[in-house]
Amino acid sequence: MSIAPRSPAQGHWEALKTYFQPLGEQLMELNEFLKHWNVSREELAFICDCSLTTVNHWFSQGEHRRVPSDKHKQRMSIAHHIWTTVETEPEYLQLLREMYNKNRRRNS
């Protein structure tokens, strides 16, 4: 049985704004991200939605050196925010999410 979609209430929008607020237009520099997270270059490419070649250029020296774009810095900021939130999230919320995901899989 399918449930009809519903419109988000004001409380939904407020919760979403609260969640996004820490990010705003924040951009995280590569060195700052790497101070917090031990990730491989392949993982950085996944996080930043770019090629491994692009990431390798961030670490190169000389004329081939590139710097992450604002898009890449924003994605690092988002990853940092999500990972930090997950670490500090109360256990009961993690349990609720697991229960919700199990229920969704059963109903699919």
Side-chain angles (χ1 to χ4, degrees):
M1 177 167 143
S2 178
I3 298 174
R6 58 188 177 148
S7 298
Q10 184 62 31
H12 292 110
W13 290 113
E14 292 303 321
L16 188 61
K17 286 178 190 174
T18 300
Y19 181 80
F20 286 144
Q21 185 176 5
L23 297 176
E25 294 297 317
Q26 286 184 2
L27 303 176
M28 185 171 234
E29 296 296 329
L30 177 61
N31 289 340
E32 182 67 20
F33 184 78
L34 295 176
K35 284 181 192 175
H36 295 279
W37 305 104
N38 182 25
V39 293
S40 68
R41 292 182 183 192
E42 290 83 3
E43 291 166 332
L44 269 174
F46 175 79
I47 291 165
C48 294
D49 192 29
C50 63
S51 69
L52 179 58
T53 302
T54 297
V55 172
N56 285 333
H57 282 291
W58 298 343
F59 293 94
S60 68
Q61 302 298 317
E63 68 180 89
H64 297 290
R65 182 165 174 34
R66 295 186 202 154
V67 295
S69 70
D70 285 353
K71 172 198 151 198
H72 301 133
K73 293 175 183 180
Q74 184 180 43
R75 290 181 66 98
M76 285 186 278
S77 179
I78 290 168
H80 176 69
H81 176 71
I82 290 170
W83 290 348
T84 303
T85 300
V86 166
E87 286 181 340
T88 59
E89 182 178 66
E91 192 174 323
Y92 74 91
L93 287 178
Q94 294 174 14
L95 182 59
L96 284 173
R97 185 180 307 102
E98 289 172 15
M99 291 168 56
Y100 174 77
N101 287 334
K102 283 181 188 176
N103 193 24
R104 281 185 55 202
R105 282 192 296 264
R106 241 186 281 146
N107 291 334
S108 295

